[in-house]
Amino acid sequence: NAGVTQTPKFQVLKTGQSMTLQCAQDMNHEYMSWYRQDPGMGLRLIHYSVGAGITDQGEVPNGYNVSRSTTEDFPLRLLSAAPSQTSVYFCASSSQGISYGYTFGSGTRLTVV
Amino acid sequence: AQSVSQHNHHVILSEAASLELGCNYSYGGTVNLFWYVQYPGQHLQLLLKYFSGDPLVKGIKGFEAEFIKSKFSFNLRKPSVQWSDTAEYFCAAGSGNTGKLIFGQGTTLQVKP
């Protein structure tokens, strides 16, 4: 089992560029989420999904899109990158709701210049 | 609005000292509570969780936490810290099967040998 796999691990973007952060899990988990981690602000929820075809907004959804066409994959799209989106992004997954806790990926460090 | 608040942003202790990190939450309905740890350069790992039953929860590496419903608190404790406990600690709260897990701002713990 690979767990939660995020790619790429590092990325530098220019302002205005778009890109997709990939997240895949092989645990057949229904629940998946995207967070961004910034110093002093903890982890903030961007979008989350409770199953294929179902997504919802978290605390800081602006500037990001998600889709969930399969159980395994939950990509995060930056539509037009801004320096304020410089952050470390974590994807997480869980089975049977959040009661069992989320399993986190190793993160993507994104810099927007 | 749902929120999680951690009172201590940076804690410095000597080895063998006792640890208590505060966490308060604001969450309607039944709440599930978690503590996660992030060691330097690593992704988040689950320390312990509470979703029902005994309000005193024991986790890995000698950590425990107490759920006090009347105070909306879920403080993390360890009787004697080690240098290897140096890490960032996050409290999180969510509700049942919503899939939505909210994190606090995090507490950086530095243990001096």
Side-chain angles (χ1 to χ4, degrees):
Chain A
N1 275 354
V4 179
T5 302
Q6 292 185 236
T7 55
K9 293 192 184 304
F10 302 93
Q11 182 71 48
V12 178
L13 285 180
K14 293 183 179 179
T15 298
Q17 286 185 317
S18 63
M19 80 158 294
T20 299
L21 307 186
Q22 301 292 344
C23 176
Q25 50 90 10
D26 61 357
M27 299 173 284
N28 202 31
H29 284 174
E30 290 295 318
Y31 291 68
M32 296 185 76
S33 291
W34 275 104
Y35 291 88
R36 59 177 289 173
Q37 183 178 19
D38 303 290
M41 305 194 73
L43 280 82
R44 292 180 290 170
L45 180 63
I46 304 171
H47 287 285
Y48 64 105
S49 169
V50 299
I54 306 169
T55 64
D56 206 347
Q57 296 182 348
E59 302 168 278
V60 289
N62 292 343
Y64 307 95
N65 272 359
V66 291
S67 60
R68 186 94 182 271
S69 56
T70 67
T71 299
E72 295 77 18
D73 300 299
F74 191 43
L76 178 72
R77 297 182 187 85
L78 280 69
L79 310 173
S80 177
S84 61
Q85 294 178 304
T86 293
S87 187
V88 180
Y89 291 84
F90 287 99
C91 179
S93 74
S94 176
S95 64
Q96 302 180 27
I98 59 135
S99 300
Y100 293 86
Y102 271 105
T103 298
F104 281 80
S106 56
T108 296
R109 184 173 295 274
L110 175 68
T111 302
V112 182
V113 298
Chain B
Q2 302 149 348
S3 67
V4 177
S5 179
Q6 294 180 237
H7 317 302
N8 319 99
H9 298 295
H10 198 150
V11 173
I12 302 174
L13 294 173
S14 298
E15 274 194 315
S18 63
L19 170 72
E20 181 161 3
L21 302 182
C23 173
N24 286 92
Y25 65 92
S26 172
Y27 221 99
T30 302
V31 66
N32 302 146
L33 297 161
F34 305 84
W35 276 96
Y36 281 84
V37 62
Q38 186 178 32
Y39 297 104
Q42 297 188 25
H43 60 282
L44 276 80
Q45 302 171 40
L46 182 64
L47 263 183
L48 49 80
K49 61 190 178 194
Y50 169 83
F51 51 90
S52 66
D54 189 345
L56 184 61
V57 178
K58 294 191 183 301
I60 62 172
K61 303 185 180 185
F63 287 92
E64 66 179 30
E66 185 175 14
F67 171 55
I68 303 179
K69 189 175 182 179
S70 61
K71 295 184 178 181
F72 300 94
S73 70
F74 190 57
N75 293 354
L76 181 71
R77 301 194 292 248
K78 186 171 184 179
S80 175
V81 295
Q82 301 171 330
W83 176 80
S84 58
D85 293 324
T86 294
E88 192 159 16
Y89 293 81
F90 294 94
C91 182
S95 181
N97 292 331
T98 67
K100 189 175 182 181
L101 187 63
I102 303 296
F103 282 80
Q105 305 93 323
T107 298
T108 300
L109 172 64
Q110 183 181 354
V111 180
K112 294 184 173 181

